[in-house]
């Protein structure tokens, strides 16, 4: 509810001076005045323009001079409208014109049926005057629709700034632990959501949906790494909805390929295959980093399911798409890119699951050389696959030592649920007869340590 004691006009003048120095739009200022000074939206728009009641009434009368159906008003009448009384539809239309906004912006929106009833009951419009009543309705709604289509609270500068902030998040995400990243991601998503909640031109709304999809995907990935699987699944669904709303086929495919990571690591594997296939279908057989990503995601999920032929075929298609789409300009520091090191991570997962340990080791060595020092979780996952290869080759002690050293070498904030689960996979891959050995016991003790003690 609005405060019973609105602030004095001097408060709005101060806010206006501050807004002008920052370059805020008049619509942004009006919203700020309404919230801070506890006044109606109609009054806030007048104060945002620095107008007195008399000046606003004079502007309204000047606009109405050529309109026989528009009554003249004075400052007192305008003051009544600003404090709760509702103007006639014709006058409302003029108010929207002088303030360059919609009835919703002025806090005077009404259902279409109500507005029509108000127009028909106006004293200067007779029920039997079909032409006059219809013309009035047509003109009023045409102006309202035009204002709605033109309405927008996002400037090009704001969008560019948001793009820069989200790109910065994408670059930081590669090396930053998931928990501290969540604060930045959620903060930027809150800003995007606030802007998207208002009616925007289609092109602006599409860009906001793209930003929402990117941020939601990174949040889902962070939650997966932290072990919050139900929340991660929900956020991936949100990311897909936002990508679909953006209309970008490339983004729709990329989000689905990324979402396949969750069922790949935690099941069901069939869901990972389905998401990866959906992504590559969206790519329409055109070679691109996203197509390579989708084929690679499908390959390693099929390999884990035991479909050797399907996995090899998908991996070959992934390699071909990756080579054809390489331009040398792919950013290594971008969580939404698919650079060579990430391709090697997926290739390693496929070869390891297929039992091709010699090939997998070569891929792992090549991939690890591409990661800078202390980049966290992804190189650790690649190293755990090397430990799995040792386990498959019956080198239990070496496998445990490598997995244990990898855990011990991680900073506490990088030692998340997904990393611990991969270390457990190494233990699970060992034959039962060696699980009581000293090397295995030591690895299990390291796995059981809380992150602060590793």
């Amino acid at each position: 509810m609005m405060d019973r004691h609105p602030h004095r006009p001097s408060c709005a003048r101060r806010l206006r001076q501050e807004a002008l120095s920052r370059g805020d739009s008049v619509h942004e200022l009006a919203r700020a005045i309404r919230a801070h000074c506890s006044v109606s939206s109609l009054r806030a728009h007048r104060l945002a323009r620095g107008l007195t009641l008399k000046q606003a009434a004079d502007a309204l009368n000047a606009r109405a001079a050529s309109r026989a159906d528009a009554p003249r008003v004075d400052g007192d009448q305008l003051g009544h409208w600003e404090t709760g009384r509702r103007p006639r539809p014709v006058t409302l239309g003029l108010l929207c014109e002088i303030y360059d906004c919609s009835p919703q912006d002025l806090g005077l929106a009404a259902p279409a049926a109500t507005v029509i009833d108000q127009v028909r009951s106006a004293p200067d419009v007779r029920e039997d005057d079909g032409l006059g009543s219809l013309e009035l309705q047509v003109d009023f709604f045409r102006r309202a629709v035009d204002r709605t289509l033109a309405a927008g609270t996002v400037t090009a500068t704001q969008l560019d700034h948001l793009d820069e902030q989200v790109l910065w998040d994408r670059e930081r995400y590669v090396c930053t632990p998931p928990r501290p990243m969540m604060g930045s991601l959620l903060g930027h998503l809150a800003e995007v959501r606030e802007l998207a909640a208002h009616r925007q031109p289609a092109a602006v709304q599409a860009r906001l949906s793209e930003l929402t999809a990117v941020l939601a995907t990174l949040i889902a990935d962070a939650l997966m790494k932290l072990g919050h699987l139900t929340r991660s699944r929900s956020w991936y669904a949100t990311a897909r909805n936002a990508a679909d709303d953006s209309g970008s086929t490339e983004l729709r495919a990329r989000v689905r390929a990324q979402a396949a990571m969750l069922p790949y690591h935690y099941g069901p594997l069939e869901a990972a295959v389905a998401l990866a296939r959906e992504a590559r279908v969206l790519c329409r057989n055109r070679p691109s980093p996203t197509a390579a990503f989708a084929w690679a995601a499908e390959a390693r999920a099929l390999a884990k399911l035991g479909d050797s032929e399907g996995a090899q075929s998908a991996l070959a298609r992934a390699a071909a798409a990756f080579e054809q789409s390489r331009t040398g300009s792919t950013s290594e520091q971008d969580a939404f890119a698919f650079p060579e090191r990430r391709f090697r991570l997926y290739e390693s997962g496929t070869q390891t699951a297929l039992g091709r340990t010699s090939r997998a080791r070569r891929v792992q060595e090549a991939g690890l050389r591409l990661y800078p020092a202390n980049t966290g979780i992804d190189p650790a996952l690649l190293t755990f696959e090397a430990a799995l290869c040792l386990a498959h080759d019956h080198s239990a002690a070496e496998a445990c030592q490598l997995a244990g050293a990898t855990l011990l070498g991680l900073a506490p904030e990088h030692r998340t649920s997904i990393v611990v689960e991969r270390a457990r996979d190494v233990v699970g891959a060992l034959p039962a007869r060696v699980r009581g050995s000293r090397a295995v016991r030591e690895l299990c003790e390291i796995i059981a340590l809380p992150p602060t003690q590793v």
Side-chain angles (χ1 to χ4, degrees), residues 97 133 192 204 213 255 262 312 326 344 357 361 364 385 433 436-437 442:
E97 288 181 16
S133 178
V192 172
V204 172
V255 168
L262 179 62
Q312 292 181 64
R326 291 181 75 172
R344 298 304 173 197
T357 55
R361 285 174 182 169
Q364 290 151 10
E385 286 185 356
R433 66 178 183 277
S437 66
E442 288 179 349

Side-chain angles (χ1 to χ4, degrees), residues 250-294:
E250 173 77 12
L251 183 60
R252 293 176 65 202
R254 178 56 64 100
V255 168
R256 283 160 172 78
Q258 188 82 19
M261 290 179 63
L262 179 62
Y264 169 77
H265 286 293
Y266 295 100
L269 285 167
E270 292 79 5
V273 173
L275 282 166
R277 285 179 175 168
E278 189 176 349
R280 66 173 172 80
V281 167
L282 285 167
C283 291
R284 300 174 184 173
N285 296 319
R286 291 192 293 265
S288 67
T290 298
F293 187 4

Side-chain angles (χ1 to χ4, degrees), residues 172-181 221-227 261 265-266 341 345 368 371-385 406-407 409-422:
R172 291 175 57 220
Y173 190 86
V174 174
C175 300
T176 305
R179 189 173 294 278
M181 273 303 306
D221 186 71
L223 289 167
M224 178 193 70
K225 290 175 178 175
L226 292 168
M261 290 179 63
H265 286 293
Y266 295 100
R341 66 187 186 192
L345 175 63
L368 286 170
Y371 282 95
N374 301 319
T375 50
I377 292 175
D378 278 1
L381 297 178
L382 201 51
T383 307
F384 282 124
E385 286 185 356
T406 302
L407 277 178
L410 280 171
E413 59 269 23
H414 281 298
R415 190 173 179 262
T416 61
S417 174
I418 194 171
V419 173
V420 174
E421 288 300 319
R422 300 295 74 79

Side-chain angles (χ1 to χ4, degrees), residues 167-176 180-181 184 188 333:
L167 180 58
W168 187 50
D169 275 348
R170 288 162 54 169
E171 293 173 346
R172 291 175 57 220
Y173 190 86
V174 174
C175 300
T176 305
M181 273 303 306
S184 179
H188 290 139
Q333 295 295 323

Side-chain angles (χ1 to χ4, degrees), residues 28-330:
E28 291 172 327
L29 174 57
R31 287 195 296 271
I33 291 174
R34 182 185 184 281
H36 184 270
C37 299
S38 300
V39 297
S40 67
S41 295
L42 181 58
R43 177 166 291 183
H45 272 273
R46 174 175 61 79
L47 295 173
R49 290 159 176 79
L51 299 175
T52 64
L53 282 170
K54 183 179 185 305
Q55 288 170 334
D58 289 345
L60 187 67
N61 290 328
R63 186 63 62 96
S66 60
R67 299 279 298 275
D69 57 346
R72 291 186 61 81
V73 300
D74 56 23
D76 290 339
Q77 181 63 60
L78 184 56
H80 289 316
W81 294 333
E82 291 182 348
T83 54
R85 294 185 63 180
R86 187 180 186 85
R88 289 171 42 201
V90 174
T91 308
L92 175 56
L94 293 171
L95 286 167
C96 290
E97 288 181 16
I98 66 170
Y99 290 145
D100 189 25
C101 56
S102 68
Q104 288 86 348
D105 295 329
L106 298 179
L108 296 172
T114 302
V115 175
I116 291 173
D117 288 342
Q118 290 174 337
V119 172
R120 286 176 175 167
S121 61
D124 56 347
V125 177
R126 301 187 306 275
E127 287 294 333
D128 61 349
D129 186 6
L131 181 60
S133 178
L134 177 61
E135 287 177 341
L136 191 59
Q137 294 173 37
V138 168
D139 289 345
F140 176 80
F141 282 109
R142 192 265 305 158
R143 287 192 297 272
V145 169
D146 282 346
R147 283 190 297 272
T148 300
L149 291 173
T153 60
V154 185
T155 66
T157 301
Q158 283 178 297
L159 275 179
D160 290 342
H161 177 69
L162 277 173
D163 278 334
E164 290 174 1
Q165 293 298 310
V166 174
L167 180 58
W168 187 50
D169 275 348
R170 288 162 54 169
E171 293 173 346
R172 291 175 57 220
Y173 190 86
V174 174
C175 300
T176 305
R179 189 173 294 278
M181 273 303 306
M182 291 287 288
S184 179
L185 294 169
L186 289 170
H188 290 139
L189 184 61
E191 187 175 358
V192 172
R193 189 207 64 80
E194 183 180 354
L195 295 174
H198 298 281
R199 202 274 172 197
Q200 305 293 347
V204 172
Q205 198 68 46
R207 286 182 67 182
L208 292 173
S209 294
E210 289 177 5
L211 293 173
T212 300
V214 170
L215 291 166
T217 299
L218 295 179
I219 291 170
D221 186 71
L223 289 167
M224 178 193 70
K225 290 175 178 175
L226 292 168
H228 300 294
L229 306 186
T230 300
R231 289 188 176 94
S232 175
R233 190 173 294 108
S234 297
W235 274 96
Y236 272 128
T238 297
R240 291 197 299 274
N241 289 338
D244 291 347
D245 188 59
S246 76
S248 169
T249 303
E250 173 77 12
L251 183 60
R252 293 176 65 202
R254 178 56 64 100
V255 168
R256 283 160 172 78
Q258 188 82 19
M261 290 179 63
L262 179 62
Y264 169 77
H265 286 293
Y266 295 100
L269 285 167
E270 292 79 5
V273 173
L275 282 166
R277 285 179 175 168
E278 189 176 349
R280 66 173 172 80
V281 167
L282 285 167
C283 291
R284 300 174 184 173
N285 296 319
R286 291 192 293 265
S288 67
T290 298
F293 187 4
W295 279 112
E298 183 176 349
R300 70 174 186 170
L302 289 173
K304 211 170 181 180
L305 279 169
D307 183 353
S308 177
E309 183 178 349
Q312 292 181 64
S313 175
L315 184 59
R317 297 291 295 271
F322 183 76
E323 289 300 325
Q324 291 177 54
S325 61
R326 291 181 75 172
T327 62
S329 60
T330 301

